[in-house]
Each structure stands twice: as C-alpha cells, then as structure tokens.
C-alpha cells in the first residue's frame, strides 16, 4: 500500500467525536494520524493501522512539503 504524509484516510470505525476521516502525519514502522473532526492524534503500528483502514480518500500531492 502506498501511504504518504498528508493523505486523508477513512477508518472502519468512527472516532467518538463522530468523524471517520483522518490525516496521516507520520509514516514508517508506526503510523501517526490526526482526526479531522477533533484533531486528536493517534499513533499505531503499521499492521494494526492497515487492518483498521477502510480506504485512502485523498492522496497527498507529490513534492508537497508537509
């Protein structure tokens, strides 16, 4: 899966604030995401993230500085 900083992803379960859309802020062995609704930050290991991911909604632009 091609994942990069700045992507907007949809997770299988909604966050308690009601949003299911997150912005990717760090990619590596761990993935850090920030809720689009309340800006809560969550960090999880990559296999757990991939299991919980529903789909990538928006890919970040190539060459864009984060």
């Amino acid at each position: 899966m091609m994942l990069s900083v700045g992507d907007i992803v949809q997770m299988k379960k909604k966050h308690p604030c009601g949003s299911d859309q997150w912005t990717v802020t760090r990619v590596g062995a761990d993935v850090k995401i920030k809720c689009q609704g309340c800006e809560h930050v969550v960090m999880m290991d990559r296999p757990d993230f991939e299991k919980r991911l529903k789909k990538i909604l928006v890919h970040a632009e190539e060459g864009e500085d984060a």
Side-chain angles (χ1 to χ4, degrees):
M1 167 186 2
M2 199 61 195
L3 189 67
S4 59
V5 173
D7 287 353
I8 298 175
V9 298
Q10 182 179 24
M11 303 304 277
K12 290 180 182 174
K13 291 187 177 180
K14 289 189 179 203
H15 190 251
C17 74
S19 177
D20 63 352
Q21 295 183 12
W22 299 75
T23 303
V24 178
T25 58
R26 179 185 186 278
V27 178
D30 295 320
V31 177
K32 186 186 265 187
I33 54 177
K34 182 168 71 170
C35 179
Q36 293 266 319
C38 66
E39 298 192 4
H40 181 80
V41 175
V42 175
M43 190 170 208
M44 61 183 80
D45 59 17
R46 194 167 189 123
D48 192 31
F49 172 80
E50 290 177 357
K51 185 173 91 174
R52 295 176 186 217
L53 177 68
K54 188 171 187 178
K55 64 181 171 180
I56 299 173
L57 298 174
V58 179
H59 284 285
E61 295 294 323
E62 290 295 320
E64 180 179 270
D65 292 334

